[in-house]
């Protein structure tokens, strides 16, 4: 059965795509189908095959067979070559992937192209680690002791809808580099770019079963992966509530290893000694309104020192209002739509809640147009720390801006959250930058920039923002298990 189809983007660009489940290097039928929608119009793009328990079992069985059938002992040079080949193919088909991502997710085409650079960099970075996973020799009396870092086995990854391609590479690259096999479940909202990459996996020459990519609903396919007895490790990126459910399922099944990259309510702190306020405003806008605010590390709480607050808020509003909200395929668009009607409703409900709580809607707060899921970038001022729009993750183009007096005041406010994914500090004082960075309870702290995330630097959260780290050498620990070997070399 063929699931090949042609996808035509609004700008006329055409992409050939297979919409089946990618299991054992073949596109196969699912239990049913799911319609995927263009969030800029609300219209269906195409239908994709959807997995339930039976198809999840097939994917896991294929991954297990590949792991024990030789992949776990594959030569590092072979794994590295395959990963570099996949990176080459992603580069070759960059326009196909970017158009699929923009059509399915709604982010501006410019940003989708930038995400592809991140995918390629991720694959190449971890390809370089294939032959650099080392153990240790430990000095013991009359005995030889050493450690070996071995692959875990079948690793599952559940990826979100906000940056689908990039999250796919974050889950695949370190797992495959360390000789594991993988089953990836995409979001039902944004499956298209992953299905295109699935075809490239086969073209690159990966053996059947090493990389499997399926689409399905969380309560069915996601739950089945989290509880599967043959899955030895699961990685999830998404909401804190779903992360709890995955931990529970892992604990109640086979105690599989879990890494979680979850929500955030990240503080962006701006001191009055900054030298170039226009640059600060540029970073502040990008930090919250890129990707329509649908970024887990978005700088959704901005704290500005009293002396420059008035000047900052005026400049921030002016720059924010200058950005075009609209068709993501247009070159001058800064902000695209929210991902779905449900997410649109969620964000609009928070905006109304903020008004009811007594905050001032300083800018935005309204729907843009009559089709699609577009919302004006929204700025709230005159907020209190106990307001829900200050405490809760909105995951949309909504920011709260507050004043602060001094370091102690702002650090206390910044850390008064259940989250701890990221934070930023803008200052010209290097001592203050280091002091405040050290005091912030967050997995990433950016100084005089925002959301600078790279493949060679760890990313993950404190508190309820997650467990474990992705990216960088630190990520390898999530996909290996350590064996200690002790040999008696004394005469018996």
């Amino acid at each position: 059965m063929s699931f090949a189809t042609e996808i035509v983007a609004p700008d006329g660009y055409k992409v050939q795509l297979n919409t089946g489940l990618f299991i054992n290097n073949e596109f196969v039928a699912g239990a049913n189908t799911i319609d995927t929608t263009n969030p800029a119009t609300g219209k269906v793009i195409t239908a994709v095959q959807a997995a339930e328990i039976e198809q999840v079992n097939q994917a896991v069985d294929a991954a297990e067979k590949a792991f024990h059938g030789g992949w776990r002992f594959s030569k590092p040079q072979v794994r590295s070559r395959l990963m570099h080949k996949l990176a080459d193919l992603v580069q070759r088909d960059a326009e196909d992937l970017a158009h699929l991502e923009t059509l399915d997710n709604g982010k501006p085409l410019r940003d989708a192209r930038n995400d592809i650079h991140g995918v390629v960099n991720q694959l190449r970075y971890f390809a370089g680690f294939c032959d650099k996973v080392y153990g240790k020799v430990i000095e013991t009396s009359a005995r030889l002791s050493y450690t070996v870092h071995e692959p875990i086995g079948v690793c599952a990854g559940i990826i979100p809808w906000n940056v689908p391609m990039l999250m796919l590479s974050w889950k695949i690259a370190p797992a495959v580099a360390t000789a594991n096999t993988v089953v990836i479940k995409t979001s039902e909202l944004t499956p298209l770019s992953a299905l295109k990459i699935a075809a490239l996996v086969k073209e690159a020459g990966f053996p059947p079963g090493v990389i499997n990519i399926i689409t399905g609903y969380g309560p069915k396919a996601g739950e089945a992966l989290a509880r599967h007895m043959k899955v030895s490790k699961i990685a999830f990126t998404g909401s804190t509530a779903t992360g709890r459910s995955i931990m529970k399922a892992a604990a109640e099944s086979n105690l599989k290893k879990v890494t979680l990259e979850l929500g955030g309510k990240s503080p962006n702190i701006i001191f009055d000694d900054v030298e170039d306020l226009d640059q600060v405003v540029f970073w502040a806008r990008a930090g919250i309104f890129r990707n329509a605010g649908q970024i887990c590390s978005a700088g959704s709480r901005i704290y500005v020192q009293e002396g420059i607050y008035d000047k900052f808020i005026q400049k921030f509003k002016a720059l924010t209002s200058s950005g075009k909200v609209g068709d993501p395929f247009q070159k001058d668009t800064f902000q695209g739509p929210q991902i779905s009607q449900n997410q649109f409703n969620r964000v609009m409900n928070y905006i109304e809640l903020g008004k009811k709580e007594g905050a001032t809607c300083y800018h935005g707060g309204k729907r843009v147009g009559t089709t699609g899921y577009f919302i004006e970038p929204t700025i709230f001022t005159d907020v209190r720390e106990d307001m829900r729009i200050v405490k809760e993750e909105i995951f949309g183009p909504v920011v709260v801006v507050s004043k602060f007096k001094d370091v102690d005041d702002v650090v206390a406010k910044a850390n008064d959250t259940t989250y701890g994914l990221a934070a930023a500090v803008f200052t010209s004082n290097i001592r203050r930058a280091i002091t405040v960075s050290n005091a912030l309870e967050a997995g990433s702290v950016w100084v005089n920039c925002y959301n600078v995330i790279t493949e060679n630097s760890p990313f993950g959260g404190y508190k309820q923002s997650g467990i474990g780290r992705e990216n960088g050498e630190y990520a390898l620990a999530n996909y290996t298990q350590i064996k200690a070997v002790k040999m008696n070399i004394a005469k018996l």
Side-chain angles (χ1 to χ4, degrees):
M1 183 181 296
S2 174
F3 302 102
T5 188
E6 183 177 75
I7 306 295
V8 182
D11 62 358
Y13 192 91
K14 297 178 181 179
V15 182
Q16 304 302 314
L17 186 69
N18 202 312
T19 59
L21 303 172
F22 186 71
I23 298 174
N24 211 34
N25 269 16
E26 299 295 336
F27 287 97
V28 301
N32 46 55
T33 62
I34 296 174
D35 288 339
T36 185
T37 302
N38 177 358
T41 64
K43 295 180 180 180
V44 172
I45 303 167
T46 190
V48 301
Q49 296 295 307
E52 293 188 358
I53 293 176
E54 180 183 350
Q55 291 76 30
V56 168
N57 289 339
Q58 291 171 4
V60 172
D61 287 346
E64 183 190 40
K65 182 179 179 181
F67 180 73
H68 291 293
W71 184 255
R72 66 179 300 188
F73 299 117
S74 58
K75 293 182 179 180
Q77 296 88 344
V78 171
R79 299 197 300 274
S80 180
R81 177 180 56 80
L82 289 170
M83 293 177 71
H84 278 298
K85 178 61 175 178
L86 181 57
D88 290 341
L89 295 175
V90 169
Q91 282 186 310
R92 183 197 69 188
D93 291 353
E95 277 303 295
D96 286 8
L97 288 164
H99 276 76
L100 288 172
E101 194 85 330
T102 293
L103 184 64
D104 210 16
N105 168 273
K107 67 177 60 187
L109 186 59
R110 170 194 63 251
D111 294 344
R113 287 169 174 152
N114 189 57
D115 284 354
I116 291 168
H117 292 304
V119 172
V120 171
N121 291 343
Q122 191 84 4
L123 290 169
R124 296 204 191 285
Y125 175 79
F126 281 102
F129 268 111
C130 290
D131 60 355
K132 298 175 184 65
V133 180
Y134 305 130
K136 295 181 179 180
V137 175
I138 302 168
E139 182 66 29
T140 54
S141 177
R143 292 175 179 84
L144 172 64
S145 297
Y146 63 92
T147 60
V148 181
H149 292 237
E150 297 184 336
I152 293 174
V154 178
C155 298
I158 300 177
I159 61 175
W161 45 258
N162 60 331
V163 274
M165 280 189 298
L166 202 54
M167 291 299 100
L168 180 71
S169 69
W170 283 26
K171 302 296 184 284
I172 286 177
V176 171
T178 48
N180 297 283
T181 56
V182 296
V183 178
I184 302 294
K185 189 198 85 66
T186 73
S187 167
E188 68 276 10
L189 297 175
T190 53
L192 299 186
S193 59
L195 293 175
K196 177 64 179 179
I197 290 176
L200 302 184
V201 166
K202 183 174 182 178
E203 185 178 349
F206 279 90
V210 171
I211 298 175
N212 306 273
I213 299 175
I214 61 176
T215 298
Y217 291 110
K220 293 183 179 180
E223 178 81 359
L225 279 173
R227 292 188 176 276
H228 208 290
M229 297 300 290
K230 292 181 180 179
V231 172
S232 298
K233 195 267 178 186
I234 188 164
F236 169 74
T237 298
S239 73
T240 298
T242 303
R244 285 194 181 94
S245 297
I246 287 173
M247 282 195 73
K248 184 173 184 288
E252 290 177 347
S253 53
N254 60 344
L255 281 174
K256 56 180 61 67
K257 194 172 185 178
V258 177
T259 54
L260 306 171
E261 196 264 280
L262 307 175
K265 193 70 178 179
S266 301
N268 186 358
I269 300 168
I270 302 167
F271 285 94
D272 61 8
D273 63 357
V274 292
E275 294 178 355
D276 188 341
L277 190 57
D278 289 334
Q279 274 294 304
V280 175
V281 169
F282 168 84
W283 283 108
R285 181 182 74 152
I288 177 59
F289 296 129
R290 283 284 187 194
N291 214 42
Q294 299 169 139
I295 300 176
C296 52
S297 56
S300 54
R301 293 186 293 149
I302 298 178
Y303 293 101
V304 185
Q305 200 159 20
E306 292 173 335
I308 61 169
Y309 177 88
D310 291 341
K311 186 178 293 185
F312 170 85
I313 199 69
Q314 292 169 9
K315 287 178 175 287
F316 186 53
K317 178 181 178 180
L319 185 62
T320 297
S321 61
S322 70
K324 178 183 174 181
V325 179
D327 182 358
F329 284 95
Q330 295 295 320
K331 292 181 179 180
D332 59 345
T333 294
F334 176 81
Q335 179 186 315
Q338 309 313 123
I339 187 63
S340 66
Q341 184 68 60
N342 285 342
Q343 189 64 19
F344 173 90
N345 292 343
R346 171 187 168 88
V347 175
M348 292 303 295
N349 287 340
Y350 268 107
I351 290 172
E352 292 307 309
L353 176 64
K355 295 174 182 177
K356 290 178 181 177
E357 287 183 316
T360 298
C361 187
Y362 184 74
H363 176 76
K366 301 182 184 67
R367 177 177 189 147
V368 176
T370 58
T371 59
Y373 314 124
F374 298 93
I375 298 175
E376 290 179 329
T378 302
I379 304 170
F380 276 104
T381 58
D382 303 314
V383 298
R384 301 186 312 274
E385 292 298 303
D386 62 348
M387 288 180 174
R388 287 180 60 188
I389 59 170
V390 177
K391 291 292 187 184
E392 299 176 13
E393 183 179 40
I394 299 173
F395 219 65
V398 181
V399 65
V400 295
V401 186
S402 307
K403 299 177 184 178
F404 73 90
K405 294 180 180 179
D406 53 30
V407 169
D408 291 341
D409 178 33
V410 76
V411 168
K413 289 176 178 176
N415 289 338
D416 185 19
T417 175
T418 58
Y419 297 111
L421 188 57
V425 180
F426 285 84
T427 178
S428 296
N429 185 319
I430 186 64
R431 180 175 295 177
R432 174 180 283 167
I434 294 172
T435 300
V436 176
S437 296
N438 290 344
L440 291 171
E441 297 168 355
S444 294
V445 179
W446 297 290
V447 176
N448 296 332
C449 58
Y450 204 95
N451 258 340
V452 179
I453 301 172
T454 57
E455 68 281 351
N456 58 357
S457 181
F459 185 79
Y462 286 17
K463 304 181 191 176
Q464 293 184 35
S465 285
I467 298 171
R469 292 295 180 270
E470 297 189 285
N471 297 350
E473 187 174 358
Y474 291 90
L476 299 174
N478 298 326
Y479 294 94
T480 57
Q481 49 195 350
I482 300 173
K483 176 183 289 181
V485 180
K486 292 181 172 61
M487 302 177 65
N488 186 0
I489 57 176
K491 290 184 178 180
L492 297 176

